[in-house]
Amino acid sequence: MGQPKSSPDQLRSHRWFGVIDMRSFSHRARTLQMGFRREEFVGRPVIGIINTWSDLNPCHAHMRDRAEDVKRGVWQAGGYPVELPALSLGEVMVKPTTMLYRNLLAIEVEELIRSHPLDAVVLMGGCDKTGPALMMGAISAGLPCLFVPAGALLRGNFQGRFIGSGVDTWRYWDEFRAGRISQDEWHGVEQGMARSVGHCNTMGTATTMMGLIETLGFMLPGASSILAADSNHQRMCSAAGIRAVEMAWADLSPQDVLSPASFQNALVAFAAMAGSTNAVVHLLAMAGRAGIPLSLEDFDRVGREVPVIANLRPNGAYLMEDFFYAGGILAMLDLLRDRLDLSARTISGTTLAEHLAGAARWNADVIRDLDRPVVDQPGLAVLRGNLAPNGAVIKPAAATPELMRHTGRALVFQHMREMLEAVKREDLECYPDDVLVLQSAGPVGAPGMPEWGMLPIPTKLLKAGVKDMVRVSDARMSGTSYGTCVLHVAPESAVGGPLGLVRTGDRITLDVDARLIQLEVSDAELAARRAAWTPPPAPYARGYGAMFAQHIGQADEGCDFDYLKGTAPVPEPEIL
Ligand code: FES
């Protein structure tokens, strides 16, 4: 833990507001300009509220109001709240993919914190990439911080049935493509899908990351499970404001909270939730910022040991509203006590054991006992083989058991555009046993590693009743997706990975029990193809995209920029 502060002159913000010199004259004069009295900001901890609200992020539509609740808590506790807007990254609106901008938001957060007169920070996010980006930047900045999650939206409703974000969109889209529901019904799904503010209500990336950030120790107890539309959410926000002020005085930094134990706990929670495969990339990146060793094999190891007990779609039956009412993350972690390191620290200044003190489970079907898991398969398996020398992942809990051991003919597409056109064609040569392969969908190739990994099943096979096929790509997949999809193949095709050498007609073997993804082509033939291979043209000649391609890491490393990783110190700004 840092050095607790006992007087205002020890606060970081004192250098801006508390001293008598020409610069601090401006800092005070310009704050007075905004209508604040001197005693409202001088001598008080300054709490930055980094808010990822925007008009194009429906998951965060309530967060301007919630920032006011946080401010209420900060004022009550004797702090001075300042709201700082940051890149919003609304998952469904940002193209080509929010993942292209996760690191940009992380840079923004780190530099917002470093360059401003802040003593502690409240991070406000939820929609997929905002959680990891806020955390990555805050970890690197090193000031006391805690996370206020956006909260999940209410259950969707269609024809009297619950429907969940993403999961039921994919399902009904396939029904629509196969002609089994009408356009009016399709519009009915559209109308009933998102009925309130808040992030996706399935075990997608947002839900997963919020659960993991709480398990890592960065939220108030139970915060990640509170629904956005519930008044508990507002009360949690004001309590977070109060806690942020206390953290500023205590100088409780992210480095005081994070440890190998906290990441181990996150892996346990991830396995029990059968969380989104995207979280693998994000946790690796966050561990990289904290300087804590974490590898793909750690995910596989813990996944084999911890059963899936959160019965949430796409792996199970329920939605976040049910999970919240069933006791939420606290109830789930409470059942996993034997697998957790309860001595891990949290932003409350307590251990994880104390964080779980109020846990209670109210529904044993939504949050299952360990000996009655939701599925027999782990939430994640890490594959290797000559097709993915540096690893790939699959989500067995959301895959088809019969396809977990499968050899089939590769049907290869060099780009998603080509694939989307081809799968509509009735004359496309394709068979139910084929292995669909997509290239150029990785961090460099797409670029940004979009969520294309649930490759579309050719329409003519869908109409014939085919519901799943083995699919292989260097893309990611939405956490709300499902199917036998091999993802995150590393190295990716665009940087010379073997995935780029696959041709239609090759044979590919998937064996999840053996953790194998293998291209059944001889080494000599692969060497000849490699010698003839040329990299695809770079999509960006200038701008952020060009910088992204030069510095982005591969999926097995967390896709951080090379110059952002690690714990090398960055100087505090000089106030001259
Ligand atoms: Fe924001 Fe799913 S679209 S969390």
Side-chain angles (χ1 to χ4, degrees):
M1 195 151 107
Q3 201 60 32
K5 320 286 185 197
S6 56
S7 62
D9 62 340
Q10 295 173 347
L11 294 170
R12 182 172 180 267
S13 60
H14 177 79
R15 296 190 294 127
W16 276 262
F17 294 124
V19 295
I20 301 298
D21 61 15
M22 198 272 288
R23 288 288 170 216
S24 63
F25 164 88
S26 302
H27 304 146
R28 285 188 296 271
R30 293 301 183 153
T31 309
L32 293 162
Q33 177 187 10
M34 293 188 289
F36 291 104
R37 289 178 290 121
R38 192 177 300 269
E39 53 272 33
E40 286 177 322
F41 65 94
V42 175
R44 290 169 173 252
V46 182
I47 308 300
I49 301 167
I50 299 187
N51 194 350
T52 51
W53 169 90
S54 92
D55 270 333
L56 283 174
N57 190 341
C59 303
H60 296 182
H62 56 312
M63 288 195 349
R64 271 205 299 193
D65 294 340
R66 295 298 191 273
E68 295 303 317
D69 294 315
V70 175
K71 287 179 188 175
R72 177 159 50 93
V74 172
W75 285 122
Q76 280 172 26
Y80 170 48
V82 292
E83 189 176 347
L84 300 162
L87 184 62
S88 185
L89 297 186
E91 185 66 25
V92 296
M93 301 292 183
V94 173
K95 307 296 178 193
T97 165
T98 51
M99 189 62 186
L100 189 63
Y101 300 106
R102 182 200 66 177
N103 296 348
L104 184 62
L105 174 55
I107 294 174
E108 183 187 11
V109 169
E110 180 177 348
E111 300 307 328
L112 272 177
I113 295 173
R114 182 171 294 122
S115 60
H116 284 101
L118 305 178
D119 298 301
V121 184
V122 177
L123 307 166
M124 296 188 68
C127 193
D128 293 15
K129 307 305 175 296
T130 58
L134 287 161
M135 286 301 303
M136 289 161 67
I139 291 168
S140 293
L143 281 193
C145 68
L146 82 167
F147 202 102
V148 164
L153 52 81
L154 298 173
R155 294 186 194 105
N157 178 60
F158 173 61
Q159 295 180 340
R161 290 191 294 275
F162 297 146
I163 53 174
S165 317
V167 179
D168 290 294
T169 310
W170 315 124
R171 213 177 295 284
Y172 280 108
W173 175 239
D174 280 350
E175 293 296 295
F176 183 49
R177 279 205 297 151
R180 289 191 282 267
I181 66 168
S182 68
Q183 187 159 331
D184 278 352
E185 287 175 303
W186 176 241
H187 286 319
V189 176
E190 196 172 290
Q191 196 151 311
M193 183 58 73
R195 299 169 43 239
S196 77
V197 295
H199 65 66
C200 289
N201 54 15
T202 41
M203 187 49 75
T205 304
T207 300
T208 305
M209 288 311 303
M210 294 304 100
L212 296 185
I213 292 170
E214 175 162 353
T215 307
L216 282 168
F218 284 86
M219 290 184 195
L220 296 176
S224 65
S225 306
I226 302 173
L227 301 175
D230 192 301
S231 62
N232 279 290
H233 195 268
Q234 290 168 273
R235 294 192 286 277
M236 178 269 293
C237 287
S238 82
I242 292 170
R243 181 60 198 153
V245 176
E246 295 168 353
M247 288 176 71
W249 287 115
D251 201 17
L252 185 65
S253 76
Q255 285 66 28
D256 298 319
V257 175
L258 291 172
S259 64
S262 58
F263 276 96
Q264 172 69 22
N265 291 341
L267 293 178
V268 171
F270 176 74
M273 296 188 291
S276 161
T277 46
N278 288 324
V280 177
V281 178
H282 300 323
L283 263 189
L284 288 168
M286 289 163 60
R289 295 298 188 99
I292 291 175
L294 190 69
S295 72
L296 282 179
E297 270 59 38
D298 292 321
F299 287 86
D300 195 87
R301 172 179 52 80
V302 177
R304 290 175 192 261
E305 297 166 355
V306 177
V308 178
I309 59 171
N311 190 3
L312 296 178
R313 299 180 199 183
N315 323 297
Y318 296 99
L319 299 170
M320 273 305 285
E321 193 169 343
D322 309 291
F323 189 67
F324 177 47
Y325 301 149
I329 187 100
L330 297 181
M332 188 192 83
L333 293 177
D334 194 46
L335 292 172
L336 296 162
R337 276 175 176 272
D338 291 349
R339 320 287 177 108
L340 297 168
D341 186 333
L342 295 169
S343 68
R345 309 295 301 176
T346 78
I347 52 91
S348 300
T350 63
T351 62
L352 185 61
E354 292 161 278
H355 187 89
L356 299 181
R361 181 178 59 159
W362 306 110
N363 186 322
D365 192 42
V366 178
I367 303 171
R368 298 277 188 89
D369 288 312
L370 271 63
D371 60 1
R372 201 170 73 88
V374 180
V375 284
D376 294 333
Q377 296 290 336
L380 186 97
V382 175
L383 309 172
R384 289 187 191 269
N386 68 353
L387 195 47
N390 293 348
V393 302
I394 187 169
K395 191 170 186 177
T400 301
E402 297 74 36
L403 290 174
M404 305 280 267
R405 191 170 185 184
H406 178 83
T407 298
R409 179 192 80 123
L411 177 56
V412 181
F413 301 91
Q414 291 179 338
H415 197 276
M416 193 56 163
R417 274 189 307 275
E418 173 200 345
M419 181 168 197
L420 288 175
E421 283 306 310
V423 296
K424 291 187 228 163
R425 287 190 357 238
E426 289 293 328
D427 64 345
L428 178 71
E429 187 186 349
C430 58
Y431 308 96
D433 289 346
D434 281 352
V435 175
L436 302 177
V437 175
L438 177 66
Q439 301 165 334
S440 301
V444 173
M449 204 182 175
E451 292 183 337
W452 293 341
M454 191 170 79
L455 308 180
I457 293 172
T459 303
K460 80 177 193 188
L461 295 179
L462 266 185
K463 287 180 178 169
V466 175
K467 293 204 179 311
D468 194 10
M469 298 172 75
V470 175
R471 311 167 227 188
V472 182
S473 74
D474 42 16
R476 295 175 301 115
M477 169 172 99
S478 164
T480 62
S481 300
Y482 49 85
T484 312
C485 304
V486 177
L487 311 158
H488 305 191
V489 168
E492 64 170 301
S493 58
V495 300
L499 186 71
L501 307 179
V502 186
R503 295 177 184 168
T504 293
D506 291 346
R507 309 283 291 172
I508 290 178
T509 294
L510 167 68
D511 187 339
V512 176
D513 280 349
R515 300 298 193 260
L516 180 72
I517 184 73
Q518 188 77 6
L519 180 60
E520 308 291 357
V521 172
S522 71
D523 290 347
E525 170 62 17
L526 280 180
R529 292 185 192 179
R530 185 167 288 113
W533 181 83
T534 52
Y540 290 86
R542 60 165 296 282
Y544 173 74
M547 188 275 283
F548 181 95
Q550 282 169 17
H551 295 284
I552 191 70
Q554 291 289 292
D556 59 305
E557 306 167 315
C559 294
D560 205 354
F561 291 153
D562 48 11
Y563 59 85
L564 292 175
K565 287 196 278 189
T567 58
V570 175
E572 274 280 285
E574 295 196 62
I575 305 171
L576 302 174

